[in-house]
Amino acid sequence: MAEGLVEGGSECAATTGLAEQPPERSQGAFEQLSAVADAVLYEGYLLYPYRRSSAKNRVRWQFGVLFPRDWVESDGPVVPGVSGSADSWYQQTECLLRVRRPGDASVRVRVRYLQMQRKQVEDTGHRPVASLRTDDGTVHLTFDEAVPRACEVVVPLDELLDTGRTVPVGAAAGVDVEPLPAGAGRVVRHRDEVRAETTVTAERLSDDLCRLRVRTANTGPAPASRTARDEALRRALIATHTLIGGDGVEFVSLTDPPTDLAAPARSCRNEFTFPVLGGAAEDAGHLLLSAPIILPDHPQVAPESPGDLHDAGEIDEILTLRTMLLTDEEKREARATDPRAAAILDRVDTMPQEVFERLHGAIRSLAPVAPETAPATAERPAWWQEGADGGLSPTTDTVLVDGVPLGGGSRVRLRPRGRGADAQDMFLAGRTAEVAAVFHDVDGSVHLAVTLDDDPASELHTWYGRFHYFRPDELEPLEPAGTPDEPSAPAPVAAKAPLTTDSETPAAEAE
């Protein structure tokens, strides 16, 4: 049985259990999905304004991060869920596949992630420095980069139904040294070893239906339990996601399954990731993308987009305009921060007018407007509307936290989780807030909507329903009724806030 090996390059050797396999449709389909998969791989890698000094780029790597188990569970077991923004030590995908060629079907799995790489700038005496300017005016900055990794395995479906297959998907340690021009110093890039393995198994549910499970786990030794997250990332898989294809099989949508497969679809357990159908809608389930970011079936990158901006939730036109407005000094710092930031600046600075104009918008299709019909009076309201479920009422429901019932009007102090918390929430640690509502999510979890006490726009946010959301264990109840004039504790920022420019306003930083 062949095993997958990692030799420190960007790709793990493909593993097959099949002799003389011809090129598969899934192999080409993987490449067709590469733009979407790369957007997942580098989501949040570096955010506008793409500078090392920007506060947003000091809290990184928020999706699909798999740490060594003993480190991530030093404060307690991880809580399974489909959210890939929570830190974990494993990632599990379960999906349904129909068998179209019994006895001859195979499954192809490709696991992709980033391996952290520390870029350290050193002077002529090989002493570490934060930055260094060479005689040609180029600035070199110490910064954390990442190297893409991918490992692939192709296994007969019959083997997966019988014994399954486990393959290593880790990455070797390494050191690369790059001398700077004219002996000005050097750049040393360090990578720690990442140990991980992926196990693929299948379970037959009927003659032509199987449940496939792909589980990737970090198996490496853990750093000390109190090691900072930035340091523990050196041994982690970052932005972990999985492409699944095959020959003689067809995947079933878990978001919109056929009626007869609704029950087995609901029984699939996806943890820290969620699978969706890939490729074009007419591809009939030949490919699956399981990502730590929730996506729709058949996700696509807009054809008007000229390149990745590492923020797929933002609008290309807005980010492009903002990047154009960076000052020359800001652009120099961004170029020195990371080669990917430099590539974004080059693309924006040289973008032809006709390409820029395409970013303004596009009409995908037009359909006739259906005639208005009177709503049925007996029809039950949508599940998300107030009163849709007689047992739930966000504005009056309460949840017990440290023995105190919290609901609308309760005052709390924000205590975001130290690991796995949303990056923006971490800036609000210690602030006081008022609970506006208690929401029960469709997956069974509970979140409380809050407004900050010291936010001058809190009444406006309440009016149009814009809140911050926290789990019950991230809130500290204040004394019942509290004191309205109690000051809000400042966010834990030790350094003096830097001066902003027109191209990076506080409002832009908050996005």
Side-chain angles (χ1 to χ4, degrees):
M1 183 182 297
E3 294 292 327
L5 302 174
V6 173
E7 300 297 341
S10 62
E11 295 286 335
C12 169
T15 64
T16 70
L18 310 171
E20 302 299 327
Q21 270 292 307
E24 298 183 356
R25 178 186 346 200
S26 60
Q27 177 70 30
F30 279 2
E31 307 314 319
Q32 294 173 13
L33 195 58
S34 62
V36 175
D38 285 346
V40 171
L41 188 66
Y42 287 102
E43 177 67 10
Y45 173 81
L46 197 63
L47 297 176
Y48 170 88
Y50 307 114
R51 306 194 318 265
R52 182 185 68 173
S53 59
S54 173
K56 290 188 292 189
N57 290 319
R58 298 173 195 166
V59 182
R60 303 168 69 201
W61 323 119
Q62 297 299 316
F63 303 101
V65 182
L66 308 185
F67 288 99
R69 181 173 186 175
D70 289 345
W71 183 85
V72 77
E73 292 193 333
S74 59
D75 292 330
V78 297
V79 180
V82 297
S83 173
S85 62
D87 292 341
S88 178
W89 58 273
Y90 74 95
Q91 191 179 81
Q92 176 177 295
T93 298
E94 285 192 353
C95 60
L96 301 178
L97 58 85
R98 291 187 173 101
V99 184
R100 296 308 191 194
R101 292 207 314 261
D104 187 37
S106 64
V107 173
R108 178 185 296 271
V109 175
R110 181 183 294 177
V111 178
R112 305 174 79 231
Y113 61 92
L114 296 175
Q115 179 187 17
M116 182 173 164
Q117 175 173 266
R118 178 67 173 172
K119 180 183 74 173
Q120 178 64 62
V121 179
E122 298 181 352
D123 61 17
T124 54
H126 295 175
R127 292 180 295 269
V129 294
S131 64
L132 190 150
R133 186 185 297 269
T134 55
D135 291 341
D136 62 0
T138 303
V139 177
H140 300 269
L141 299 179
T142 292
F143 195 64
D144 288 333
E145 301 173 333
V147 179
R149 303 297 186 191
C151 291
E152 190 169 298
V153 59
V154 182
V155 192
L157 179 60
D158 287 345
E159 179 183 334
L160 298 180
L161 290 167
D162 184 20
T163 60
R165 176 81 70 89
T166 297
V167 295
V169 294
V175 178
D176 300 324
V177 179
E178 174 191 351
L180 296 179
R186 65 180 188 174
V187 175
V188 182
R189 291 176 167 86
H190 297 267
R191 296 178 300 278
D192 286 2
E193 181 186 16
V194 175
R195 298 184 190 176
E197 63 182 24
T198 294
T199 298
V200 188
T201 58
E203 172 190 1
R204 189 177 297 280
L205 303 181
S206 64
D207 289 344
D208 64 346
L209 183 69
C210 297
R211 178 185 292 114
L212 183 72
R213 173 185 289 179
V214 180
R215 185 181 177 95
T216 298
N218 188 318
T219 59
S225 60
R226 297 304 171 191
T227 299
R229 186 178 187 272
D230 286 348
E231 186 67 25
L233 281 165
R234 299 176 185 274
R235 304 183 189 180
L237 293 79
I238 300 170
T240 313
H241 60 283
T242 307
L243 302 178
I244 308 174
D247 268 9
V249 298
E250 180 182 307
F251 297 98
V252 175
S253 170
L254 295 190
T255 59
D256 188 21
T259 303
D260 60 324
L261 297 181
R266 285 195 301 269
S267 69
C268 291
R269 294 291 174 260
N270 288 284
E271 299 176 357
F272 306 104
T273 187
F274 192 80
V276 297
L277 297 179
E282 59 270 17
D283 285 347
H286 296 303
L287 183 64
L288 210 66
L289 169 61
S290 185
I293 301 170
I294 304 300
L295 299 170
D297 280 337
H298 309 292
Q300 300 288 329
V301 173
E304 295 82 9
S305 179
D308 199 354
L309 293 165
H310 307 319
D311 192 350
E314 187 54 279
I315 300 171
D316 277 30
E317 184 182 29
I318 292 176
L319 284 182
T320 300
L321 285 169
R322 288 179 174 176
T323 303
M324 287 178 173
L325 292 175
L326 291 175
T327 65
D328 290 342
E329 182 58 35
E330 289 172 324
K331 289 183 178 181
R332 278 192 290 271
E333 183 186 348
R335 290 183 185 279
T337 296
D338 191 272
R340 290 186 172 273
I344 290 174
L345 292 175
D346 290 341
R347 186 171 67 245
V348 169
D349 288 345
T350 61
M351 184 177 294
Q353 182 65 24
E354 60 270 21
V355 174
F356 179 75
E357 290 175 353
R358 288 203 301 266
L359 300 182
H360 190 62
I363 298 176
R364 299 286 180 227
S365 62
L366 294 173
V369 177
E372 294 186 4
T373 56
T377 55
E379 185 176 310
R380 183 174 179 175
W383 65 267
W384 47 266
Q385 292 179 342
E386 185 81 17
D389 190 322
L392 298 176
S393 177
T395 55
T396 60
D397 283 350
T398 60
V399 61
L400 207 61
V401 177
D402 294 337
V404 178
L406 296 182
S410 300
R411 296 191 61 249
V412 295
R413 192 175 301 278
L414 308 180
R415 302 294 188 192
R417 300 186 304 276
R419 296 174 184 166
D422 182 271
Q424 297 295 332
D425 291 349
M426 295 172 69
F427 291 114
L428 304 179
R431 305 272 281 277
T432 59
E434 180 177 316
V435 176
V438 177
F439 290 99
H440 296 262
D441 297 339
V442 293
D443 64 359
S445 60
V446 177
H447 285 81
L448 288 84
V450 305
T451 57
L452 297 176
D453 287 344
D454 59 356
D455 186 346
S458 60
E459 290 186 5
L460 180 62
H461 292 330
T462 300
W463 178 74
Y464 57 71
R466 181 174 183 177
F467 303 109
H468 296 280
Y469 295 89
F470 291 88
R471 289 177 15 170
D473 60 0
E474 297 180 300
L475 300 178
E476 173 189 329
L478 298 178
E479 291 298 323
T483 54
D485 57 349
E486 179 180 347
S488 176
V493 179
K496 182 178 179 181
L499 294 175
T500 60
T501 68
D502 290 341
S503 60
E504 185 185 356
T505 63
E509 276 288 275
E511 291 184 1

